[in-house]
Amino acid sequence: MEAGELLERFEAFVASEGKIESDSWMPDAYRKTLVRQISQHAHSEIIGMQPEGNWLTRAPSLRRKAILLAKVQDEAGHGLYLYAAAETLGTSRDEMVDALLDGTAKYSSIFNYPTPTWADIGAIGWLVDGAAIMNQVPLCRCSYGPYARAMKRVCKEESFHQRQGFDILVTLCRGSDAQRAMAQDALDRWWWPSLMMFGPHDGDSPHSATSMRWRIKRFSNDELRQRFVDVTVPQAHFLGLRIPDDELVYDDTTGHWKFGEPDWDEFQRVLAGDGPCNAERIERRTRAHVDGAWVREAAEAYAAKHVAAPAA
């Protein structure tokens, strides 16, 4: 069958909501788009363990520590699910990890910001995981089957993470003046980076249109950002917190909240490696990778002896 006919059949199959599997024919560009997106998603889960791991030994109670420990463990699991999904496309985990450590691959810009207070952990759960849920639930209907199936479990766990973060902020906002001020300060610092998580405006995104045509994505960056604002602003009002946006206003004619413009120059700086914690995050991830080499070597040796060897 000619390449043009294969592509035509592929486009028609995806448009009819068919699921592409690892052994299905797919265009090289589709494969490359998925490897880039899924691996960046996996990297974000792994790097995202660091800002919260910063508080594992300092959580304000044993209960909070246990919850946070479970959450960080969940994020590690999400990274593993996603690396495994990307591997079905013919790339190796070693290649993906090497690309992260040498700076070739990106991860979400949001994880390059510091967590100086306990309220930051609440803000990450409420805002960052809330934005992730808004972005990732549609991925459960992604045209690539292994990615869609991995996302179903990821999204179920992320919903708990979002509630955990919101619960932290509810507790702080019902506490002392100092605790409420801590919660407001965290919102002030995390609001705009959370809006940037959805990526640049649709017209400025080099991948968005193609990903939507191939049913990898279901909604545009701007649509998802608007949904996030519409859902989150009433939650901030419930907490008694102020969204740090002087342009925020409810539009009765559209039923949506109008909001200001994120600092896209900052977004590009952070993506380019000039964020507050970029160097720290990669240095720590590199050190962990080097320190864990003996575990990988032992696992490979065991597999070579007990798994790969033919039965006697």
Side-chain angles (χ1 to χ4, degrees), residues 54-102:
N54 179 44
W55 278 90
L56 284 173
T57 60
R58 297 182 290 156
S61 70
L62 182 59
R63 174 176 173 270
R64 292 293 189 188
K65 179 180 290 190
I67 293 171
L68 183 59
L69 185 62
K71 182 186 178 186
V72 172
Q73 180 176 274
D74 282 349
E75 307 296 0
H78 297 173
L80 294 179
Y81 304 153
L82 293 164
Y83 282 134
E87 286 177 313
T88 66
L89 291 158
T91 188
S92 73
R93 193 167 308 190
D94 287 342
E95 289 175 308
M96 290 184 278
V97 172
D98 287 346
L100 169 66
L101 299 183
D102 68 19

Side-chain angles (χ1 to χ4, degrees), residues 230-263:
D230 288 343
V231 167
T232 308
V233 170
Q235 294 172 348
H237 292 167
F238 174 82
L239 292 170
L241 299 178
R242 178 187 176 277
I243 299 290
D245 181 356
D246 293 335
E247 297 180 41
L248 187 71
V249 62
Y250 187 73
D251 187 342
D252 290 315
T253 61
T254 64
H256 296 296
W257 287 89
K258 290 184 177 181
F259 54 96
E261 192 72 12
D263 185 345

Side-chain angles (χ1 to χ4, degrees), residues 29 33 206-217:
T33 296
H207 307 291
S208 188
T210 302
S211 293
M212 289 183 67
R213 187 178 86 248
W214 281 337
R215 304 293 200 274
I216 296 172
K217 289 180 61 173

Side-chain angles (χ1 to χ4, degrees), residues 8 22 37 80 107 123 140 144 156 183 190 196 212 219 226 230 232 240 265 295:
E8 185 177 332
S22 59
Q37 179 171 327
L80 294 179
Y107 56 91
C140 296
Y144 187 59
K156 287 179 181 179
W190 288 94
M196 296 177 199
M212 289 183 67
F219 302 98
Q226 182 66 64
D230 288 343
T232 308
D265 289 337
V295 178

Side-chain angles (χ1 to χ4, degrees), residues 243-289:
I243 299 290
D245 181 356
D246 293 335
E247 297 180 41
L248 187 71
V249 62
Y250 187 73
D251 187 342
D252 290 315
T253 61
T254 64
H256 296 296
W257 287 89
K258 290 184 177 181
F259 54 96
E261 192 72 12
D263 185 345
W264 294 114
D265 289 337
E266 177 185 335
F267 175 72
Q268 293 298 335
R269 285 197 307 273
V270 175
L271 278 186
D274 192 26
C277 300
N278 286 70
E280 175 187 333
R281 300 289 188 249
I282 291 298
E283 188 278 331
R284 184 170 294 177
R285 180 66 253 165
T286 301
R287 187 168 69 248
H289 185 70

Side-chain angles (χ1 to χ4, degrees), residues 159-223:
S159 67
F160 284 101
H161 300 170
Q162 195 270 348
R163 293 180 186 185
Q164 172 252 355
F166 193 71
D167 179 66
I168 289 174
L169 290 176
V170 167
T171 301
L172 292 174
C173 290
R174 291 175 177 174
S176 66
D177 289 344
Q179 288 173 319
R180 287 192 293 274
M182 185 192 302
Q184 182 64 61
D185 174 66
L187 173 57
D188 291 345
R189 288 182 289 106
W190 288 94
W191 175 252
W192 293 109
S194 296
L195 294 191
M196 296 177 199
M197 281 182 66
F198 296 98
H201 289 304
D202 299 332
D204 300 324
S205 175
H207 307 291
S208 188
T210 302
S211 293
M212 289 183 67
R213 187 178 86 248
W214 281 337
R215 304 293 200 274
I216 296 172
K217 289 180 61 173
R218 295 289 174 154
F219 302 98
S220 72
N221 295 348
D222 288 329
E223 286 177 305

